[in-house]
Amino acid sequence: ETLKLDEYVSVTLLSNSHLGGACMVFLSISYDGMQDRNYLFTGDYKHTNRFYKVPKIPGWVFNKKINAIITESTYGYQKSFEIKRNFRDDLEKLLLDDTINTIFIASISQERPLSIFRELYLLQKNNILDEDVEIFYDSPLGIKYYEDIYTKYADFVIPKNLIFLNKKTHDELVLDIQEKPYKKRIVIAASGMLDHGRARDFLKLFIEDSSKAFFITCFTPEGTLANEILNNQSSTIKIDGIIYNICAKFFSTSQFSQHDFSDDLIRFFKKFLFVDNIFINHGSNYAKQCLFEEIKKDEHFKNINVEIMSRDKFIRINSKNEIKIFNSKFNKNSNTNLKRKKQKRTKIYSLSKIYR
């Protein structure tokens, strides 16, 4: 769909399989007597989706001269064939482990639960997961997505004995877990990064219980609680000011990723016939650097300028396609910050004179 913002600027929303409703933005600027300027913003991008058919990107987009592709790089450090599809195997081990009674699966609310439901359904079908084992879905937002959207998706299956929880039944489940530790159950809850929601509540209640296991199915960037736990070299962790002993078992997988990996992104970029610049954004510094190196070593991109973006700088492209890079206000060495520091020092000095 193309939207005309004014007589010079138009925006076309292009299909994106990252999540239902996700899109890429193709920005076109056109002035009389000047070459058109075209910019593609990928946003969080995935080229396929298991649960619904995504419309193809029209061919004219690939034939346009693109002044810059601004791309994400969440999994820029990993190729698609490197993904370990360990969820089912690890879950089977936990189900067979008599010392584990409750398995908490941390998941984002959007679409990820559908992949988890499917895996549990297949485990039941293969007689690995007993159909009598209760499966609880504890995410108010996720349940709303399920009721309003997901039931319309193709390839949609749910396991038997799936129970949706509300506030009252959530409290009842917590009590049941505490009073009946011998009972096997699976609990799916948000958030996937353990930063908030019911998953975080369960974590604080049961992280010190060795009969519990937590399976993290979400991307865990630096600064998230899930990342801190998975990379923790200590036997304790501080959550909300309280120090907890880590006794529960922790597992993780990236097989459900709703982002393209570095090789997927590079294949996508190669579809565009005329590209001047690729600006790498939205990822850890490590992920951005890895994607940068993968692009630079590919002969296909030898005549394309590639830049890593960050909040410390902004990039300006003029009408002659010349690039200028400036320090932003977040850069410690920017003129703005130096002026602010100088002003601050001046104010402190003048106040000290007054008090003297």
Side-chain angles (χ1 to χ4, degrees):
E1 182 182 358
T2 299
L3 308 171
K4 198 80 175 172
L5 302 186
D6 60 28
E7 59 180 311
Y8 306 111
V9 181
S10 64
V11 168
T12 304
L13 305 180
L14 302 172
S15 58
N16 182 347
S17 301
H18 172 62
L19 290 170
C23 65
M24 292 186 290
V25 176
F26 185 86
L27 177 69
S28 187
I29 304 169
S30 180
Y31 286 99
D32 292 338
M34 295 178 63
Q35 272 195 335
D36 289 355
R37 317 291 297 169
N38 299 306
Y39 303 91
L40 178 70
F41 299 83
T42 68
D44 284 339
Y45 179 72
K46 180 82 172 176
H47 70 285
T48 59
N49 191 297
R50 167 180 280 179
F51 300 105
Y52 57 89
K53 189 175 180 180
V54 179
K56 287 185 177 180
I57 298 171
W60 64 262
V61 174
F62 298 114
N63 295 327
K64 285 276 190 181
K65 179 180 171 62
I66 309 294
N67 297 95
I69 295 174
I70 298 90
T71 179
E72 71 136 320
S73 59
T74 305
Y75 281 100
Y77 59 87
Q78 200 167 18
K79 294 181 175 64
S80 56
F81 57 81
E82 295 172 339
I83 295 301
K84 293 179 180 177
R85 301 192 172 276
N86 60 304
F87 180 79
R88 204 180 304 176
D89 289 342
D90 286 345
L91 196 60
E92 182 179 350
K93 290 173 188 174
L94 288 170
L95 290 168
L96 295 173
D97 188 341
D98 292 333
T99 67
I100 301 295
N101 57 56
T102 305
I103 304 164
F104 297 98
I105 302 175
S107 166
I108 58 174
S109 298
Q110 300 97 323
E111 290 190 16
R112 183 65 44 81
L114 299 188
S115 296
I116 295 169
F117 291 165
R118 183 178 181 79
E119 290 295 322
L120 296 176
Y121 165 82
L122 292 172
L123 284 169
Q124 287 179 341
K125 193 175 179 181
N126 294 329
N127 298 316
I128 296 167
L129 172 59
D130 194 316
E131 291 180 1
D132 291 333
V133 173
E134 291 177 319
I135 303 167
F136 299 94
Y137 186 38
D138 197 2
S139 168
L141 179 61
I143 291 169
K144 183 163 179 59
Y145 274 114
Y146 174 91
E147 293 170 344
D148 295 348
I149 301 172
Y150 298 154
T151 50
K152 303 179 181 68
Y153 282 7
D155 200 23
F156 172 75
V157 294
I158 60 172
K160 292 181 180 178
N161 217 359
L162 176 65
I163 303 163
F164 288 176
L165 299 184
N166 54 35
K167 178 65 174 73
K168 181 184 175 185
T169 50
H170 164 81
D171 294 339
E172 291 172 354
L173 173 63
V174 170
L175 191 63
D176 190 63
I177 294 171
Q178 291 169 332
E179 292 182 348
K180 300 175 183 176
Y182 53 85
K183 190 177 177 182
K184 206 87 167 181
R185 32 177 117 58
I186 296 172
V187 183
I188 306 163
S191 74
M193 299 178 189
L194 301 177
D195 281 339
H196 55 269
R198 301 276 172 83
R200 187 185 181 93
D201 295 339
F202 284 124
L203 180 72
K204 292 194 290 184
L205 284 170
F206 299 111
I207 191 172
E208 295 187 317
D209 188 339
S210 60
S211 67
K212 307 296 183 285
F214 288 83
F215 212 128
I216 297 166
T217 64
C218 188
F219 176 64
T220 56
E222 289 181 19
T224 61
L225 181 55
N227 179 279
E228 189 178 349
I229 290 172
L230 291 174
N231 294 289
N232 195 353
Q233 303 297 318
S234 163
S235 60
T236 62
I237 192 165
K238 184 184 282 189
I239 307 173
D240 298 334
I242 300 173
I243 295 176
Y244 293 87
N245 293 311
I246 302 175
C247 302
K249 293 183 174 66
F250 285 86
F251 296 79
S252 68
T253 184
S254 57
Q255 76 177 67
F256 302 126
S257 171
Q258 286 161 284
H259 298 260
D260 262 358
F261 297 91
S262 63
D263 54 328
D264 297 319
L265 288 171
I266 287 172
R267 277 192 294 271
F268 175 58
F269 300 152
K270 286 182 177 180
K271 292 181 179 181
F272 295 88
L273 299 182
F274 311 103
V275 179
D276 290 332
N277 302 281
I278 296 175
F279 297 147
I280 301 171
N281 195 30
H282 189 63
S284 67
N285 291 335
Y286 177 65
K288 287 189 278 192
Q289 185 63 40
C290 288
L291 182 58
F292 174 85
E293 291 171 4
E294 288 297 317
I295 295 172
K296 292 297 286 183
K297 73 183 183 184
D298 193 310
E299 192 69 15
H300 180 88
F301 301 101
K302 65 180 180 181
N303 296 320
I304 296 175
N305 179 54
V306 185
E307 299 280 352
I308 295 175
M309 300 182 74
S310 74
R311 70 200 299 257
D312 293 336
K313 62 185 179 184
F314 65 90
I315 298 171
R316 185 161 70 189
I317 307 176
N318 65 18
S319 58
K320 297 177 182 177
N321 209 34
E322 296 170 338
I323 295 176
K324 290 187 177 181
I325 300 175
F326 301 87
N327 288 335
S328 75
K329 67 179 182 180
F330 298 107
N331 191 304
K332 293 177 181 178
N333 298 318
S334 70
N335 291 333
T336 306
N337 279 334
L338 290 173
K339 284 178 183 176
R340 284 177 180 167
K341 287 178 182 177
K342 190 174 180 181
Q343 288 171 356
K344 192 174 181 181
R345 283 197 298 268
T346 304
K347 287 178 182 177
I348 292 170
Y349 175 73
S350 59
L351 283 170
S352 66
K353 279 179 70 177
I354 291 168
Y355 280 107
R356 279 205 299 269

